[in-house]
Amino acid sequence: MPLDPTEHPDWEIALEAESRMKTCYQLGEELGLTKEELLPHGHYIAKVDYLKVMERLRDAPDGKFIEVTGITPTPLGEGKSTTTIGLLQGLGRRKKRVTACIRQPSGGPTMNIKGSAAGGGLSQVIPLAEFSLGLTGDINAVMNAHNLAMVALTARLQHERNYDDERLAKVGLKRLNIDPTRVEMGWVIDFCAQALRNIIIGIGGRMDGYMMQSRFQIASSSEVMAILAVARSLEDLRQRIGQIIVAYDKKDRPITCEDLEVAGAMTAWLRSAINPNLIQTIEGQPCFVHAGPFANIAIGQSSVIGDQICLKLADYHITESGFGADIGFEKFWNVKCRYLGKVPHVSVITTTIRGLKHHGVTAGAPPCPPGRPIPKEYFEENLAWLEAGAANLLHHINIVKKSGIHPVVAINVFPTDTPAEIRLLRRIAEQSGARVAVSNHWRYGGEGALELADAVLDACEQPVSFRYLYDDDTPLSERIEKIAREVYGADGVEYSREAEAKLKEFENNPKYRDFATMMVKTHLSLTHDPTIKGAPKGWTLPIRDILLYGGARFLCPMAGEISLMPGTGSDPAFRRIDVDVKTGRVTGLF
């Protein structure tokens, strides 16, 4: 019997489920994978050879494509991963051939306050410890590839300082004249380590490197991770790695990984990481895990390759987007769908009653700042807060409708939600024209997600009038304006002097016409200000800078401050994580 999530923590539920896991060989057989396509990492986890699968199934029809997004979340999230896994289980209970693809969790949130993104309650993926603590090493490969670029750069700076042109020429090097004040990259580590945000490296003598200011960022924010998520093949990945801009020279020309002759070696670190990972839910449905890029500054999706494989293997495939529909869904809609060349059928908007109360500020709801527990009042019935906060949900429903994709609102319920609150939320959402399902997957697993599964199956049978927000040839300024007005609800856009200068440069250079527009904004508000809740009107989006990622081919207009290195809080998860030394089992994960 599965354990009760109201009485048992996630890690205990996972350990109980792991006693009856399917082997990766059984999962592969059920998916129709051949022996050569399955690359086992032990008995229960495998990588899947994407190239062999795509070659064999190139002409096979695609399954129905389902995306999972959400409302503007509280700092602790609203359960998109749990909903993704619950829907996977629910469709499995309906005897559908179904897969899902989710992002790999970073060690930073896992060891901090947010947990490992394995889902929760009776809707989790397993094995939990392996999923949460490195899986098959993809993040380690990303870190090694990224840091190798910095090794190449810092070594080159040292050698160009120490040696003249004749000495450099003896080993086949020409002077790059790197400007040490224009280094674009830092180092990466897979933890939230605020002490490493600003550092000095190269202290010592002439043979100890080049002394300069540097920094660390979390691995999921690496451009290498972003490239792993959007690459369509190993060839595409290799080309993009070579185009990463590491620094600029003293004449403002970019210095790339290709210039540093390190792109090939970086790709060698990633040769296995390009293959998606296969694990399972606690009910035995197949779930792929691949890539883990930031949603604030990158695409915030699992990989293009992962979705390509799953759409060929399954009749229904679920993919998850990071944060709310204003960020994750917008990038899925206008960027990932372009890379995939696929038309999705349904977008599931995950919402919770506590999350909408969080947006009921006009009705008196208290704030819920990051790093602090959710106020206890959120778990008491308050229809006024809920009704006021529902404006945020309606805004997200309208975002999805603009794409022509069918929205399905999933009310991710918890034991503290009252019948009156659920009835009110259902009525508000249905009046908007969206399908609505109450889903109790956290407590009951696939059985609790049957209403959601049925709503999604019904929506998948309806024709889709998919349309992008902007055309491929739309100038960057018009893209930003459309996203600000039609997605965020702003009245317009204003630019800093620096951002305006970069905007003109990018629009006038044909090199950047095929670069994706990757907006950078807080996930805690529809606006650029994380303290503003609900669905505000009468505001302007400020763009203070536009970042260039040459390898990922992203142009990133920045609205507000985004830290690439989160901090570890005062009560992090690692305080409760341990190992049973008699069995080797990890305890305390969530």
Side-chain angles (χ1 to χ4, degrees):
M1 278 292 292
L3 300 180
D4 185 344
T6 64
E7 297 179 4
H8 297 276
D10 289 349
W11 66 268
E12 287 185 355
I13 293 170
L15 283 179
E16 189 277 332
E18 286 164 15
S19 66
R20 45 191 166 80
M21 273 191 295
K22 296 176 180 177
T23 66
C24 63
Y25 310 102
Q26 185 178 351
L27 283 174
E29 183 178 351
E30 291 174 357
L31 280 171
L33 293 168
T34 68
K35 182 179 179 181
E36 292 74 23
E37 292 164 353
L38 199 68
L39 309 171
H41 282 244
H43 297 300
Y44 305 105
I45 299 170
K47 278 191 167 290
V48 174
D49 190 320
Y50 86 94
L51 190 57
K52 289 181 179 177
V53 172
M54 292 307 296
E55 285 177 349
R56 179 171 63 87
L57 298 178
R58 189 171 305 279
D59 297 325
D62 290 337
K64 302 285 190 180
F65 196 14
I66 304 157
E67 186 260 358
V68 177
T69 185
I71 61 169
T72 304
T74 65
L76 296 180
E78 301 313 309
K80 283 196 313 300
S81 296
T82 311
T83 298
T84 299
I85 296 159
L87 176 58
L88 173 60
Q89 293 173 152
L91 289 171
R93 291 286 186 109
R94 290 297 191 220
K95 307 300 182 185
K96 303 300 181 183
R97 188 180 181 88
V98 59
T99 57
C101 195
I102 60 177
R103 287 181 291 172
Q104 183 177 352
S106 164
T110 298
M111 293 294 156
N112 199 8
I113 61 172
K114 201 168 182 181
S116 76
L122 293 190
S123 289
Q124 298 186 53
V125 289
I126 51 176
L128 178 60
E130 286 74 12
F131 171 76
S132 306
L133 303 176
L135 200 56
T136 59
D138 292 354
I139 292 179
N140 186 64
V142 166
M143 288 193 295
N144 284 335
H146 179 114
N147 289 334
L148 185 59
M150 286 300 293
V151 168
L153 175 79
T154 53
R156 189 61 166 263
L157 280 164
Q158 173 189 326
H159 299 324
E160 291 195 10
R161 177 195 61 195
N162 290 352
Y163 306 135
D164 60 21
D165 289 352
E166 183 179 357
R167 175 71 181 275
L168 291 173
K170 286 182 178 179
V171 292
L173 297 179
K174 66 175 183 178
R175 189 170 297 277
L176 295 177
N177 285 315
I178 302 162
D179 184 346
T181 69
R182 296 286 312 280
V183 175
E184 296 295 296
M185 288 180 73
W187 309 82
V188 294
I189 188 173
D190 196 32
F191 293 118
C192 300
Q194 58 265 50
L196 297 176
R197 286 174 182 158
N198 297 286
I199 60 174
I200 300 294
I201 61 173
I203 298 173
R206 289 172 60 82
M207 304 308 293
D208 295 318
Y210 189 96
M211 191 168 77
M212 64 179 185
Q213 185 175 347
S214 191
R215 68 181 188 276
F216 270 85
Q217 59 195 69
I218 195 166
S220 53
S221 72
S222 166
E223 186 175 357
V224 177
M225 180 65 86
I227 290 171
L228 182 63
V230 301
R232 286 172 275 200
S233 65
L234 187 59
E235 180 182 8
D236 185 29
L237 183 138
R238 170 64 178 82
Q239 185 181 49
R240 289 173 182 268
I241 291 292
Q243 293 170 343
I244 292 175
I245 298 171
V246 185
Y248 287 87
D249 69 12
K250 292 175 182 177
K251 293 184 177 180
D252 293 330
R253 293 175 297 206
I255 302 295
T256 66
C257 289
E258 208 68 76
D259 295 326
L260 292 168
E261 301 177 85
V262 70
M266 292 169 68
T267 307
W269 277 105
L270 299 166
R271 72 196 188 285
S272 176
I274 198 170
N275 291 314
N277 306 285
L278 175 61
I279 56 174
Q280 62 193 282
T281 74
I282 64 173
E283 296 183 2
Q285 290 86 11
C287 186
F288 285 76
V289 182
H290 202 214
F294 254 30
N296 299 95
I297 201 165
I299 197 167
Q301 317 276 328
S302 56
S303 73
V304 166
I305 283 174
D307 284 345
Q308 284 177 335
I309 287 179
C310 290
L311 285 166
K312 295 298 184 184
L313 291 172
D315 295 327
Y316 295 88
H317 171 57
I318 309 161
T319 196
E320 179 191 348
S321 302
F323 300 137
D326 58 318
I327 297 180
F329 175 80
E330 188 278 311
K331 293 175 180 179
F332 170 81
W333 168 20
N334 293 304
V335 180
K336 192 176 189 182
C337 288
R338 278 186 161 95
Y339 289 151
L340 275 166
K342 308 295 182 185
V343 174
H345 297 77
V346 181
S347 178
V348 176
I349 305 173
T350 305
T351 188
T352 62
I353 284 168
R354 73 167 191 193
L356 290 178
K357 288 177 181 176
H358 172 62
H359 290 286
V361 289
T362 58
C368 181
R372 296 183 188 176
I374 295 174
K376 62 179 176 38
E377 294 89 349
Y378 280 28
F379 302 99
E380 300 168 358
E381 183 175 288
N382 194 310
L383 300 180
W385 293 359
L386 176 59
E387 187 165 18
N392 186 266
L393 169 62
L394 296 177
H395 187 99
H396 287 288
I397 291 171
N398 287 331
I399 292 172
V400 172
K401 284 183 174 180
K402 287 176 189 286
S403 71
I405 302 171
H406 304 303
V408 173
V409 174
I411 303 175
N412 180 22
V413 299
F414 290 95
T416 54
D417 300 339
T418 70
E421 289 175 327
I422 293 171
R423 284 195 301 270
L424 173 62
L425 183 52
R426 182 191 284 275
R427 177 174 59 80
I428 292 171
E430 286 179 342
Q431 286 176 346
S432 74
R435 290 175 175 82
V436 183
V438 176
S439 192
N440 210 340
H441 47 272
W442 177 82
R443 190 167 186 180
Y444 300 114
E447 189 68 28
L450 292 179
E451 183 181 334
L452 175 59
D454 290 341
V456 168
L457 288 171
D458 181 55
C460 280
E461 296 307 309
Q462 303 301 309
V464 176
S465 300
F466 181 79
R467 53 194 175 274
Y468 293 114
L469 181 63
Y470 49 79
D471 296 329
D472 287 335
D473 58 356
T474 300
L476 179 59
S477 57
E478 292 182 28
R479 296 184 184 196
I480 297 170
E481 187 82 16
K482 276 181 171 285
I483 294 169
R485 289 181 180 273
E486 299 192 34
V487 178
Y488 305 157
D491 286 347
V493 180
E494 62 182 14
Y495 294 90
S496 70
R497 183 177 299 176
E498 180 180 11
E500 191 164 19
K502 287 186 176 181
L503 179 69
K504 291 178 180 177
E505 177 187 347
F506 292 138
E507 287 194 333
N508 291 333
N509 191 333
K511 174 182 176 181
Y512 302 114
R513 284 180 187 161
D514 67 341
F515 276 41
T517 302
M518 204 67 65
M519 300 294 290
V520 181
K521 182 180 78 69
T522 179
H523 61 288
L524 296 175
S525 173
L526 288 168
T527 77
H528 57 287
D529 183 346
T531 66
I532 298 176
K533 304 303 177 183
K537 306 296 182 185
W539 60 280
T540 300
L541 183 73
I543 302 297
R544 64 179 185 82
D545 198 0
I546 303 176
L547 304 181
L548 167 64
Y549 288 87
R553 297 183 200 141
F554 295 165
L555 293 176
C556 302
M558 295 194 70
E561 293 285 344
I562 301 293
S563 174
L564 299 184
M565 174 54 82
T568 290
S570 59
D571 187 24
F574 64 68
R575 297 178 66 190
R576 291 166 287 281
I577 296 172
D578 210 330
V579 176
D580 183 329
V581 296
K582 293 182 180 178
T583 64
R585 290 178 172 175
V586 176
T587 63
L589 284 166
F590 74 101

